[in-house]
Amino acid sequence: MESVELAAPGGDLSIWALFWQAGWVVKLVMIGLLGASIWSWAIIIDKVLSYARMRVALNRFEQVFWSGQSLEELYRSLSDRKTTGMGSIFVAAMREWKKSFEKGARSPLGLQTRIDKAMELALTREMERLESRLGFLASVGSSAPFIGLFGTVVGIMTSFQAIAGSKSTNLAVVAPGIAEALLATAIGLLAAIPAVIAYNKLTADAGKLASRMEGFADEFSAILSRQIDEKVAPKTRVEEYA
Amino acid sequence: MRAGLASSVTLHVVLLGFGLASLSAPSAFEVADVEALPVDIVPVGDITQVQQGEKNAPVAPRPAPKPTQRQDPVENAQKVGEADTDLKPPPTPEAKPKPVEQASEPPPSPKPQPTPVEKPVEKPQEAKAEDVPVPAAEREPQAQPRQEMKPDPAPEPMVAENTEGESVKLPPAAPLPQSRPQPPKPQIAKAPERKQAEKPAAEQKQASKETKDSEVLDQVAALLNKEKASGGGAKRSTEEAALGASQTTSGNTLSQSEMDALKAQVQRCWNVPAGALDAENLRVSVKFKLDPSGAIEGRPEVIEGGGGSGVARAAAESARRAILQCAPYNLPAEKYSAWADVIMDFNPKDMF
């Protein structure tokens, strides 16, 4: 008598059991998606914290900068410290200013250009640091559902092959394989949804911070250009009268 | 970054642990045991073709022999009968003796016949014995013993000699046994009881005046009061009405399914005129005759539609062609009277 071995219907259908029953491709997909989810959450947490810190630092620096304190003193207090955001832009600009005057540069136009370049460079470096790893979130958000779908398709394929082998279309035979295959899509969506939401939120926050820093850089550039004018113009007038 | 990674890992571990603990196997759906639903396919004829009867009567194993009606017994009905009102019985015509005579005539005749038949046969044979000896040779032995038996006193030679004279005399003698007086006796014996009773009563009156008049009158009165079978009474049936509808629809009418079958047979061959502008309004009625084999008799006649535009005429033609093309039709032969004449409606609306 021929006996047909059927997958135990109504057996353990917990998530863990479904994972262990899955084929190796589906397992690999699930593990990968789980790793992506862990990493994207790590990025999200890190970015949220660092942006909050950055916001606090910007506020404090602006407070100090506009308090009427001497720029020389501010530079001296900041130059020997590790600075972020506006602080690093300020330090870069001041360093360029100092170098130019120490070496006795006489061209106000060149000095202005150099200071702008230095501030731009500092701003770019800051933005790079702020927006680093956001790309990963975008990738996870867009590709995780597809990866999960791939796992599901492979799982359903293998489960249909198994159903064909069992020669029974009973729902109790068909259902477990499909359920375990769908688990891959579920994990994919679980990873993708927070990644997409966080990516949109974090890019918007980074944009706000960047515009704040750009605004400060422009203002500081205007202040320095006025300073240059004040320092260079009298000399030229003296030279004219002398 | 390290803080973010650490917190992310712990978050996932906590989430997975929670999932494993609480989101383990979902509880299986509760499936109620559903009783198998028996489905009978009932021919529509049982509904459309019913006998008259009572709608809420129990189903009897056999149908009523004739369509029974709901009993509405007339109260205080004096007579028994089938009519709706209690009528007095119409005067039943007195049974005349004539029909009885006719009925009783045959029996008496066979009894007297044997004797007269024998005699005339015998005697002509004897008479012709001399004239035609060859055919009589066989019969003579049979006839002779009887002749010897009967006319012992009468001399045989005499009969043989006077053949011609006796042959003339005998015929009058033959009808004698058939004389009418005899039949009346069985007549009386077979007459109905009441006539029997009346007649004896009358005879008694006439014959013997010794019986008292009062006795006779009583007898007559008793006889006169006897109920005679007659129509006119109200319904007083005690039998329960059988299951049925308010009127009998059975018989030769086609059931709905049989009509549909005929329609389907025609529709098979019907090519709806394509490209008609308002195909919904192209209704055509065609009348045709069928012979018992289901073949078309005569020519299908368009009785409605088909006039006017060319499309309508084409539709009528196509309907006629369909009827001719699909003949003969397979229909129940026992209901021929129902489908001998058919009027069929063709409506392209039903085809789309």
Side-chain angles (χ1 to χ4, degrees):
Chain A
M1 187 167 163
E2 202 177 350
S3 69
V4 181
E5 283 290 325
L6 297 178
D12 194 4
L13 287 176
S14 67
I15 291 171
W16 191 242
L18 285 181
F19 175 77
W20 277 116
Q21 282 162 20
W24 64 268
V25 178
V26 181
K27 260 185 213 166
L28 213 68
V29 166
M30 287 180 187
I31 290 167
L33 286 171
L34 199 71
S37 175
I38 289 170
W39 186 236
S40 63
W41 272 102
I43 292 167
I44 291 163
I45 292 164
D46 180 62
K47 285 294 159 195
V48 167
L49 292 177
S50 69
Y51 285 7
R53 273 200 305 268
M54 178 67 89
R55 223 169 282 124
V56 170
L58 291 188
N59 288 340
R60 207 170 48 216
F61 180 81
E62 275 183 332
Q63 217 177 0
V64 172
F65 184 78
W66 296 110
S67 65
Q69 198 184 353
S70 162
L71 294 184
E72 290 288 337
E73 277 177 40
L74 191 60
Y75 173 67
R76 238 174 279 129
S77 67
L78 287 176
S79 57
D80 50 353
R81 268 202 279 164
K82 192 179 173 250
T83 55
T84 54
M86 290 181 194
S88 54
I89 294 168
F90 172 77
V91 169
M94 285 303 285
R95 193 176 291 131
E96 188 54 44
W97 169 274
K98 287 235 172 236
K99 273 182 194 162
S100 298
F101 276 96
E102 278 165 11
K103 302 246 166 98
R106 285 289 173 265
S107 167
L109 213 70
L111 178 63
Q112 181 71 53
T113 315
R114 279 198 299 280
I115 289 170
D116 281 355
K117 287 269 180 207
M119 281 205 290
E120 205 174 296
L121 198 70
L123 182 69
T124 311
R125 221 172 272 141
E126 283 300 304
M127 286 314 297
E128 209 172 274
R129 206 161 60 79
L130 276 179
E131 289 181 341
S132 69
R133 301 202 187 96
L134 283 186
F136 183 79
L137 286 185
S139 305
V140 169
S142 58
S143 65
F146 293 117
I147 297 167
L149 200 64
F150 167 71
T152 295
V153 169
V154 171
I156 286 181
M157 260 169 57
T158 51
S159 107
F160 271 125
Q161 283 164 354
I163 289 162
S166 76
K167 291 189 175 65
S168 164
T169 53
N170 192 343
L171 200 60
V173 176
V174 176
I178 293 172
E180 98 187 7
L182 288 175
L183 186 63
T185 305
I187 294 174
L189 291 175
L190 205 71
I193 292 167
V196 170
I197 293 171
Y199 174 75
N200 290 336
K201 168 92 174 92
L202 293 176
T203 37
D205 285 358
K208 267 184 223 161
L209 292 174
S211 65
R212 261 180 91 175
M213 283 191 281
E214 271 168 29
F216 168 74
D218 288 349
E219 252 172 326
F220 191 50
S221 163
I223 289 166
L224 284 183
S225 117
R226 210 180 303 127
Q227 288 274 327
I228 290 163
D229 276 359
E230 280 169 10
K231 281 194 175 178
V232 174
K235 281 177 184 172
T236 49
R237 219 176 291 145
V238 168
E239 281 169 10
E240 269 179 42
Y241 291 116
Chain B
M1 194 67 227
R2 205 169 291 151
L5 188 61
S7 52
S8 168
V9 168
T10 42
L11 198 116
H12 279 83
V13 167
V14 166
L15 208 74
L16 275 178
F18 176 76
L20 290 179
S22 71
L23 296 177
S24 57
S27 55
F29 292 125
E30 279 184 26
V31 181
D33 284 336
V34 181
E35 291 288 326
L37 190 69
V39 174
D40 277 349
I41 294 169
V42 184
V44 76
D46 285 358
I47 298 159
T48 57
Q49 303 200 340
V50 287
Q51 273 200 329
Q52 188 183 29
E54 186 66 5
K55 276 178 182 166
N56 47 11
V59 179
R62 60 184 170 78
K66 71 168 185 175
T68 54
Q69 293 186 335
R70 195 153 56 88
Q71 311 163 26
D72 286 325
V74 177
E75 279 183 30
N76 308 322
Q78 300 285 317
K79 309 289 190 295
V80 179
E82 290 287 307
D84 289 328
T85 51
D86 196 17
L87 300 170
K88 281 182 180 173
T92 45
E94 281 291 322
K96 287 169 187 172
K98 273 181 185 174
V100 181
E101 269 187 339
Q102 284 171 350
S104 54
E105 230 181 343
S109 54
K111 286 172 187 173
Q113 264 180 353
T115 38
V117 168
E118 279 178 17
K119 279 174 184 175
V121 169
E122 283 167 25
K123 277 160 190 177
Q125 275 179 359
E126 285 167 39
K128 291 172 184 175
E130 289 177 351
D131 299 332
V132 190
V134 180
E138 290 173 356
R139 289 176 190 175
E140 267 180 44
Q142 291 176 345
Q144 273 181 349
R146 282 183 192 176
Q147 283 172 359
E148 284 170 20
M149 289 283 278
K150 276 184 184 174
D152 263 302
E156 266 288 313
M158 285 284 279
V159 178
E161 283 171 9
N162 300 324
T163 46
E164 287 179 5
E166 278 194 9
S167 65
V168 178
K169 285 176 185 175
L170 279 164
L176 276 173
Q178 278 186 333
S179 56
R180 289 286 147 101
Q182 281 180 342
K185 284 170 190 173
Q187 228 183 47
I188 295 162
K190 288 196 173 180
E193 279 180 26
R194 35 179 205 286
K195 270 185 270 167
Q196 245 186 352
E198 279 174 33
K199 279 179 181 174
E203 282 171 25
Q204 276 178 357
K205 261 191 197 173
Q206 291 171 347
S208 59
K209 291 178 182 177
E210 292 167 5
T211 50
K212 289 173 185 175
D213 287 348
S214 61
E215 272 184 296
V216 174
L217 285 171
D218 282 347
Q219 278 183 321
V220 171
L223 290 164
L224 285 173
N225 281 342
K226 270 191 175 175
E227 181 103 19
K228 284 175 188 173
S230 60
K235 280 184 267 185
R236 265 169 65 185
S237 168
T238 53
E239 208 174 310
E240 204 174 341
L243 178 67
S246 54
Q247 61 183 41
T248 304
T249 57
S250 66
N252 286 328
T253 52
L254 288 177
S255 74
Q256 193 64 44
S257 50
E258 285 158 351
M259 284 187 229
D260 285 341
L262 175 60
K263 266 188 214 165
Q265 287 179 48
V266 175
Q267 213 163 42
R268 191 159 41 99
C269 297
W270 188 30
N271 290 318
V272 186
L277 201 61
D278 47 354
E280 308 90 55
N281 300 327
L282 288 179
R283 283 199 55 221
V284 180
S285 273
V286 182
K287 184 179 175 184
F288 55 99
K289 286 186 180 205
L290 294 168
D291 68 2
S293 68
I296 299 280
E297 214 172 50
R299 198 158 173 277
E301 185 187 344
V302 178
I303 58 169
E304 195 190 317
S309 69
V311 179
R313 224 175 306 126
E317 260 321 296
S318 80
R320 265 221 342 242
R321 265 202 310 278
I323 290 167
L324 290 169
Q325 212 173 352
C326 275
Y329 297 103
N330 185 18
L331 290 161
E334 68 275 9
K335 293 179 177 176
Y336 172 62
S337 63
W339 49 264
D341 287 293
V342 184
I343 294 175
M344 187 166 279
D345 287 340
F346 288 77
N347 195 349
K349 199 175 170 184
D350 301 336
M351 297 285 285
F352 299 122

